[in-house]
Amino acid sequence: MHFAKALPLRSGASIRAYDLSFETYGQLNADKSNAVLICHALNASHHVAGVYLDKSGQILAKSEGWWDTMIGPGKPVDTEQFFVIGVNNLGSCFGSTGPMQTNPDTHEVYGADFPVVTVQDWVDAQARLLDALGIKTLAAVMGGSLGGMQALSWTLQYPQRVRHAIVVASAPNLTAENIAFNEVARRAIVTDPDFHGGHFYRHGVLPKRGLRIARMIGHITYLSDDVMNEKFGRRLRAPTLPAARGSLPPEGALRLRPGEAGSAAPAWERGDSSALAGAVPTLPAARASLAAPFKFSTQDVEFEIESYLRYQGDKFAEYFDANTYLLTTRALDYFDPASEFGGNLSRALAEASAGFLLVSFTTDWRFAPSRSREIVKALLDNQRDVSYAEIDAPHGHDAFLLDDPRYMGVVRSYFQSKVAP
Amino acid sequence: MHFAKALPLRSGASIRAYDLSFETYGQLNADKSNAVLICHALNASHHVAGVYLDKSGQILAKSEGWWDTMIGPGKPVDTEQFFVIGVNNLGSCFGSTGPMQTNPDTHEVYGADFPVVTVQDWVDAQARLLDALGIKTLAAVMGGSLGGMQALSWTLQYPQRVRHAIVVASAPNLTAENIAFNEVARRAIVTDPDFHGGHFYRHGVLPKRGLRIARMIGHITYLSDDVMNEKFGRRLRAPTLPAARGSLPPEGALRLRPGEAGSAAPAWERGDSSALAGAVPTLPAARASLAAPFKFSTQDVEFEIESYLRYQGDKFAEYFDANTYLLTTRALDYFDPASEFGGNLSRALAEASAGFLLVSFTTDWRFAPSRSREIVKALLDNQRDVSYAEIDAPHGHDAFLLDDPRYMGVVRSYFQSKVAP
């Protein structure tokens, strides 16, 4: 959808005109009271559910939406009952206006000139999309991680337009450690000689080295120590298999160039978990516990975990935009609704009138359960209606994208007992 | 000390001839029974205690040994009682033969051709140093982190030469997550265009971008979430102060070039903690909790934690050798004494006959207390004499370098009651 009216941003800048890519699932009811907005995290998109078909009507491989386990007919967020909207955020690289697209003022690709956007700006843009769709009030707004921050911000910026907020694996702000990981990832990108101050498009190159490192760092923080030990441990990479460095996806398959930013976002987040299960061939356990037949090399892959991380980094660098990565991590850093209230989250959340479901996962060390509990406490301080589930799951932060039956059960119950008209 | 006899390595390669830099403190007694060997961690050196003087007899600023709180006259490892030896490991960049020095076979700087060395190789080289010093048996071998792995390995490789082992903030091997962090750091270095396959010396450049990223990642893992929140939190960098990027140490102060590798290792590890306390000017707390006056920039420093990490990365890239970083992280990855025993640590440690003190720190998530407890259990399974202290300290892995009174008290007691003749 095109928006011709300029959007003022928290930075003081504005975007003169812009497009938002979105998808919808299910039917909007007559009184337009069954809409559920899904907000996405760091590198997902508006493609939250369902699959894409090719020209012959066949399902495209790996085209499932990133929250397809959660959203669809008969699923916890049931599209036979709710009208679900997925929207790609401003500044992203999957169809909405972002750094890879042309600045109408200069007729050049934005690159580093794309303005810094905040969680609040995204929510403002999403509210305009709802205006255009004729939806006054959301039955629910829902998101995980950075998406959960948007859901929380909706309840503060537009309290009268949100009946329920579902905030999963999120936090009221980033800790110093969270910011630190973001900053290392940004420095890896910015100091890549192919970054060219963010105007790499003009030079016909991509800062892939930096993106690979950024993605590898990110990946470590998405997984728990437990699940890494279980899936990889100290297992060595099988010596007879082709080198991991060669196992990229087919050239161009996921590649986006300026002006080509397609709407088919890769289902990477769910893809990660399937990669965990199958993509990396492993040695039999007995072999791994023999005296280690190392290559004694600092640069070759020795351990499975190295192979997995390199593969994830290589894949990501093929499809994700470096400027989008910088913008999105900054939006994470900046989010802090309590900052206007002297750091008092209870005062900050007094504005919210929605009902809330918060969900966290025991092994998530990126956004630990204690961070969700801070939100729960602040809402209870304001006598709000809050449900909270702390799910005992081994998968770390990634758990919010996986198909855990207790997690799915909690969301299903909340939608049926609280959100359903 | 020069060693003319080739040292065979676990990789199958060997080093034809080599030097080891070392320092000693205190006096070796008549029967040579009071020697204590100190093994160093990732980027420390043989300079474990005391200070250096300049030509006029003045103490050189920041020249304290990296474990000066622990070792010295009247300190927990009392040099009035013990003869303490600090030795720089093979492959390091602080005086012992390493990648920055000339390969006698080719008359070129080793660079990437320096052979991969293991913890066991280091211990073998240290044993030869003791031979040369006429020391048959150590009163104790002691180290923290990677140094603790060397101490543990001593008890397995030379059980008859070690009466006591003090293993601090260490682990019986790396977890998948530990290896993952090492691998990201290595990839940052290796993919820096200035790395030139490890032969950057020939090109007159240093892969500083990669070293900075490696160091920033490492630093995050040395600190606890708690201490980061306490010291930095979400505080913004004071806008009127000079930019962090300009606050490098004086040009050349810590710089080492090929062939110039000096013996004065920077006291970086203790330096870090003092940097934590004072180097980064902070905004008053009240200011930090106002609505945030952000710069809305993805590349400028916004938060104190960013400034701190950039400073640490810049400093490190000035003095540390990239090939040494790769070699040392690989030695960490490879260490796994249980691997020859089907993963059974109890069987692996059956060889050890020393008395043991193990120390861990509650907030250390790099080498968590549970990893030390694995060693304790395996030693108890063999009816060994083991003392174990789990110190409640907020500083994360870095705690092993800091002056915690309970930690110091435990080491002092162990040396007085167990190690002292």
Side-chain angles (χ1 to χ4, degrees), chain A residues 7 53 57 81 108 153 189 228 237 247 301 311 341 349:
Chain A
L7 183 77
L53 304 182
Q81 205 169 359
E108 292 210 62
S153 204
I189 291 169
M228 271 191 164
R237 184 164 171 77
S247 56
V301 166
Y311 173 78
F341 298 88
L349 300 194

Side-chain angles (χ1 to χ4, degrees), chain B residues 129-192:
Chain B
L129 175 64
L130 296 193
D131 294 342
L133 297 174
I135 298 165
K136 281 196 181 141
T137 306
L138 289 166
V141 60
M142 178 172 182
S145 191
L146 175 57
M149 290 176 171
Q150 294 163 61
L152 181 59
S153 204
W154 257 99
T155 69
L156 304 176
Q157 293 176 244
Y158 300 98
Q160 302 313 315
R161 296 186 74 171
V162 186
R163 289 201 293 115
H164 292 276
I166 295 91
V167 177
V168 183
S170 195
N173 60 24
L174 295 197
T175 63
E177 187 183 86
N178 292 148
I179 296 171
F181 278 119
N182 281 349
E183 172 68 359
V184 183
R186 281 192 296 263
R187 296 310 292 168
I189 291 169
V190 164
T191 62
D192 183 332

Side-chain angles (χ1 to χ4, degrees), chain A residues 116 174 176 183 186-187 191 209 229 234 289 294 296-297 300 302 306 310 330 333-334 336 339, chain B residues 116 174 176 183 186-187 191 209 229 234 289 294 296-297 300 302 306 310 330 333-334 336 339:
Chain A
V116 169
L174 295 197
E183 171 68 358
R186 281 192 296 263
R187 295 310 290 167
T191 62
R209 295 180 202 89
N229 281 331
R234 296 181 50 80
S289 60
F294 292 127
F296 293 100
S297 161
D300 292 340
E302 292 271 24
E306 297 174 324
R310 289 193 194 187
R330 260 310 187 216
D333 292 353
Y334 287 150
D336 187 15
S339 69
Chain B
V116 169
L174 295 197
E183 172 68 359
R186 281 192 296 263
R187 296 310 292 168
T191 62
R209 296 180 202 89
N229 281 331
R234 296 182 50 80
S289 59
F294 292 127
F296 293 99
S297 161
D300 292 341
E302 293 272 23
E306 297 174 324
R310 289 194 194 187
R330 261 309 188 215
D333 292 353
Y334 287 150
D336 187 14
S339 68

Side-chain angles (χ1 to χ4, degrees), chain B residues 15 53 61 91 95 97 122 135 150-151 169 187 194 196 203-204 209 230 234 308 321 324 328 336 389 411 419:
Chain B
I15 298 186
L53 305 181
T97 299
W122 286 334
I135 298 165
Q150 294 163 61
R187 296 310 292 168
D194 286 337
H196 293 288
H203 294 78
R209 296 180 202 89
E230 188 195 316
R234 296 182 50 80
Y308 173 74
D321 177 63
T324 293
T328 310
D336 187 14
V411 175
V419 185

Side-chain angles (χ1 to χ4, degrees), chain B residues 57-82:
Chain B
Q58 298 292 304
I59 292 173
L60 273 170
K62 296 186 179 177
S63 72
E64 296 87 3
W66 58 268
W67 225 350
D68 193 58
T69 50
M70 180 68 85
I71 297 156
K75 293 184 181 175
V77 182
D78 188 349
T79 52
E80 288 172 355
Q81 206 170 359
F82 295 101

Side-chain angles (χ1 to χ4, degrees), chain A residues 4 8 10:
Chain A
R10 289 302 183 283

